Amino acid sequence: MMIIRKIQDTDWPAILAVQERVYIDVPPEPLNVLQDKVRHSKGTCFVCLAGSRLVGYLLSHPWGEEKPPTLHQTLAPAYCDDYIFLHDLAIDSAQKGMGYGKALLAAFWDSIKAKKVNAVRLVAVQDSEGFWQRQGFQVKKGLSVAAGYGDSATLMERLHKSG
């Protein structure tokens, strides 16, 4: 049975384990940085459980700048919610293709439905650009991505209509 819910304090060890297994091209971020993103999130961060086992997570937060945030650093307070930055969608490698990512994204889209957000932005890493294009994201040209995201990192955006 699949369960999607908001992140709880007891989820962090499993989130760190998934992050460690999933990210090959990008060094994993420390616990305090991930927790900081949830503190800024305004209810837009989720985990996916298969039974009682955490198999994936989604982290996002408001972001008012054009360029994506730098990895491995805590966030300054966002005084502007023009954009939501979808920081992480990670599914345990052994669990890919089972619909967990789509379920996490559905919860995310539902959580921002009423927010006054112009767009959702993300950095596609590890050759995930095609997946994000299938979710309605387009490459955002003209802005650079910090080197920490990896050589194949691509800034992407999906416009959002509130309401």
Side-chain angles (χ1 to χ4, degrees):
M1 174 201 308
M2 183 189 322
I3 299 169
I4 305 292
R5 63 166 168 74
K6 291 189 176 164
I7 292 175
Q8 300 174 358
D9 288 341
T10 55
D11 295 326
W12 290 110
I15 289 171
L16 290 172
V18 169
Q19 179 189 222
E20 184 74 33
R21 287 190 293 273
V22 168
Y23 290 108
I24 299 159
D25 296 345
V26 181
E29 291 189 286
L31 176 61
N32 70 308
V33 171
L34 297 179
Q35 289 174 325
D36 184 63
K37 291 172 187 356
V38 174
R39 277 191 292 279
H40 284 82
S41 78
K42 300 183 181 182
T44 61
C45 295
F46 302 93
V47 293
C48 179
L49 305 173
S52 61
R53 183 169 174 253
L54 191 145
V55 296
Y57 65 91
L58 184 148
L59 300 178
S60 66
H61 54 81
W63 191 246
E65 297 181 30
E66 283 287 312
K67 290 179 120 180
T70 303
L71 289 177
H72 303 96
Q73 294 181 8
T74 55
L75 301 169
Y79 298 105
C80 177
D81 292 348
D82 288 349
Y83 307 105
I84 298 281
F85 189 77
L86 204 163
H87 178 77
D88 243 351
L89 173 63
I91 305 299
D92 204 336
S93 301
Q95 305 296 321
K96 288 195 175 178
M98 302 182 83
Y100 299 135
K102 287 184 181 181
L104 282 164
L105 282 170
F108 168 75
W109 292 119
D110 191 53
S111 75
I112 69 166
K113 202 178 285 184
K115 295 184 186 303
K116 297 197 183 318
V117 171
N118 294 329
V120 175
R121 291 188 177 159
L122 59 84
V123 176
V125 298
Q126 298 185 171
D127 300 317
S128 63
E129 188 178 318
F131 170 82
W132 291 112
Q133 285 175 329
R134 290 188 297 278
Q135 309 313 311
F137 286 82
Q138 297 178 347
V139 173
K140 178 112 172 105
K141 297 184 190 263
L143 293 174
S144 62
V145 175
Y149 284 100
D151 292 338
S152 67
T154 306
L155 182 63
M156 301 186 80
E157 177 177 73
R158 177 174 156 174
L159 299 179
H160 174 70
K161 294 179 184 171
S162 300

